[in-house]
Amino acid sequence: MSMFEFDDKTKLKSLKILNFDVEKLELDKIRHVPMHQYRVATKENPMLYVENLQVCVALYAYSDNFGFASHINTVIIREDDFILNDNKMPIQLRRCMDLKREILEYNSMKEPTKIGLALGATPISKSYPTMRLIYEGIEGLIYDLNLLGIPTKRLEDRSMPEFILDSTHQKIILPKKS
């Protein structure tokens, strides 16, 4: 469980192990998203790679060459994913605030922004306190963005323990079926 961004060698090894079609991917354009962190797609790295979602989830969004992906641990609570109260209990999902800031900074979307949640291999219940905060955060974020005149729509939750968000083509790339 590394919290560090993969170098190209580690990225390639991981993508092969997880059965991605590496022959069709430009490795130098893919940026790894470490646990408890998020990344924003850039012109140099328009693809974001999220892996090893077990009880974790990934908040992701894309539109018009914009991409955002995060790796949120729903059980090991840290202040990088959530805002905590004085008792170190999570009270708000920080990643929704990060996503809103990045969308407002990018601010040149012509198509609706699509926001989704990728569930891990062993997802926890939607009623679990951190999951409730995640769903509430996403609903509030979509409401705020639409009020600001940024058309935003919610995608269905998907079981995707690993995926690549391709911001250039506004799509999700999944591993090949075994």
Side-chain angles (χ1 to χ4, degrees):
M1 276 194 332
S2 171
M3 289 193 292
F4 301 101
E5 204 162 338
F6 290 173
D7 62 18
D8 284 347
K9 185 177 174 185
T10 307
K11 201 177 350 177
L12 178 60
K13 184 177 181 181
S14 173
L15 289 165
K16 282 182 176 179
I17 288 169
L18 294 171
N19 210 25
F20 279 91
D21 191 352
V22 294
E23 303 302 320
K24 293 183 179 178
L25 297 172
E26 293 179 71
L27 197 61
D28 61 330
K29 298 214 182 272
I30 300 172
R31 189 162 185 207
H32 176 250
V33 180
M35 186 184 299
H36 296 294
Q37 296 182 35
Y38 75 91
R39 296 291 183 262
V40 177
T42 63
K43 189 174 239 174
E44 299 78 29
N45 298 107
M47 300 172 130
L48 302 172
Y49 171 42
V50 177
E51 48 75 46
N52 197 28
L53 296 177
Q54 297 300 315
V55 296
C56 300
V57 296
L59 173 65
Y60 65 94
Y62 56 90
S63 177
D64 295 330
N65 293 308
F66 171 82
F68 175 101
S70 64
H71 187 145
I72 303 164
N73 192 318
T74 58
V75 177
I76 299 173
I77 307 304
R78 294 180 35 160
E79 285 204 69
D80 16 21
D81 293 329
F82 296 93
I83 294 174
L84 307 180
N85 66 15
D86 293 338
N87 297 321
K88 300 292 182 202
M89 297 300 296
I91 56 172
Q92 190 175 5
L93 179 63
R94 188 179 301 276
R95 290 297 164 250
C96 285
M97 295 162 36
D98 296 329
L99 177 52
K100 182 179 178 181
R101 184 182 62 252
E102 296 294 347
I103 287 171
L104 293 175
E105 222 171 85
Y106 184 74
N107 199 21
S108 64
M109 292 152 187
K110 295 170 189 71
E111 293 184 27
T113 300
K114 295 158 203 77
I115 296 177
L117 189 67
L119 304 175
T122 53
I124 61 174
S125 167
K126 289 182 177 185
S127 65
Y128 194 76
T130 52
M131 289 300 291
R132 284 198 322 264
L133 287 176
I134 290 167
Y135 285 109
E136 289 168 10
I138 293 170
E139 286 176 28
L141 172 63
I142 291 169
Y143 180 80
D144 289 351
L145 291 172
N146 281 309
L147 272 182
L148 291 169
I150 300 169
T152 307
K153 71 180 210 174
R154 174 80 157 88
L155 301 172
E156 292 287 323
D157 292 352
R158 292 178 68 183
S159 177
M160 301 187 302
E162 51 274 330
F163 66 95
I164 297 170
L165 186 151
D166 179 348
S167 67
T168 304
H169 300 99
Q170 295 188 42
K171 68 178 186 174
I172 299 292
I173 300 168
L174 298 172
K176 297 182 290 185
K177 301 263 189 237
S178 301

